[in-house]
Amino acid sequence: MLKSIKRDIQVVFERDPAARSILEVIFCYPGFHAILLHRVAHALWCRGFHFLGRFISHVSRFLTGIEIHPAAKIGEGFFIDHGMGVVIGETAEIGDNVTLYQGVTLGGTGKEKGKRHPTIGDNVIIAAGAKVLGSFRVGDNAKIGAGAVVLKEVPPNCTVVGVPGRVVACHGRRVDTVDLEHGDLPDPVEKMFKTLTERIERLEERLAELEREEDHAAATG
């Protein structure tokens, strides 16, 4: 447990440039509090103390704004930045060195029994407000953009954006180097609107040109 706590503190310094001291992390980081309480709740859940595990999870939700079901499996090096509104479902599985931002949901899509929440691979980054819904896998080193709604499997080393989520970069093709800068992910919707705007401007210029030619013809006719 002490080794896990030390690692959880170290992760904050690695991924949050605002962290200034160990005391600040221990007392002022809700993501750290949520992970610490989850490890306790998960240990109790696995030993059959389901009510106590759920109760600790509920207290953690009240204190941090982060809801993690005690049955969820979370690996080492997990980091939740800011964290308010994060929801992690009962059958979710999270690998090592995963980063979540505020408002992320790892949820299900219905009332089915059994495995109904996603499995997140190692070194995955899920940006603010993204929703990953269903019992599929998000591959290692994947990146999910802010506000994306992911409803199907994400291959390793790929970037997903949009609603519904679409793979826009994978295995070195169409990749802008993106790490924690989740605001720099490519946006195909924005690209489409930009293309339409440029086309409308060209059509307006052509229309204005035709009107000038018509006015000139009328004046000289």
Side-chain angles (χ1 to χ4, degrees), residues 86-126:
V86 167
V87 177
I88 300 175
E90 178 182 4
T91 61
E93 300 177 40
I94 299 175
D96 296 333
N97 303 314
V98 171
T99 301
L100 305 185
Y101 289 84
Q102 65 271 21
V104 168
T105 298
L106 305 182
T109 56
K111 297 182 179 180
E112 68 274 14
K113 299 292 184 181
K115 174 68 171 167
R116 59 192 185 279
H117 299 100
T119 296
I120 309 299
D122 298 337
N123 308 308
V124 172
I125 297 173
I126 305 179

Side-chain angles (χ1 to χ4, degrees), residues 15-197:
R15 302 183 205 170
D16 187 356
R20 294 179 176 82
S21 69
I22 292 177
L23 283 178
E24 183 181 9
V25 172
I26 292 174
F27 289 102
C28 303
Y29 273 70
F32 171 75
H33 302 153
I35 295 166
L36 185 62
L37 289 170
H38 171 72
R39 299 202 189 282
V40 175
H42 183 69
L44 291 169
W45 181 274
C46 292
R47 287 165 176 77
F49 299 100
H50 292 172
F51 172 77
L52 191 54
R54 285 300 302 270
F55 180 74
I56 291 175
S57 173
H58 184 71
V59 171
S60 175
R61 177 178 180 270
F62 176 78
L63 294 174
T64 67
I66 299 168
E67 182 174 343
I68 308 176
H69 194 284
K73 299 176 182 178
I74 298 177
E76 297 297 320
F78 183 54
F79 178 59
I80 302 175
D81 195 10
H82 297 291
M84 181 62 69
V86 167
V87 177
I88 300 175
E90 178 182 4
T91 61
E93 300 177 40
I94 299 175
D96 296 333
N97 303 314
V98 171
T99 301
L100 305 185
Y101 289 84
Q102 65 271 21
V104 168
T105 298
L106 305 182
T109 56
K111 297 182 179 180
E112 68 274 14
K113 299 292 184 181
K115 174 68 171 167
R116 59 192 185 279
H117 299 100
T119 296
I120 309 299
D122 298 337
N123 308 308
V124 172
I125 297 173
I126 305 179
K131 314 300 177 186
V132 185
L133 308 175
S135 58
F136 52 84
R137 180 176 177 83
V138 176
D140 296 347
N141 308 306
K143 297 177 178 68
I144 297 175
V149 178
V150 183
L151 302 173
K152 59 183 179 180
E153 184 168 344
V154 178
N157 304 297
C158 290
T159 298
V160 174
V161 300
V163 182
R166 299 175 296 280
V167 174
V168 295
C170 199
H171 295 291
R173 294 189 295 273
R174 292 188 59 200
V175 172
D176 296 325
T177 301
V178 180
D179 189 10
L180 291 178
E181 300 297 332
H182 52 97
D184 290 340
L185 295 174
D187 188 344
V189 176
E190 180 183 6
K191 183 178 180 181
M192 179 189 68
F193 278 115
K194 183 177 180 181
T195 300
L196 289 173
T197 300

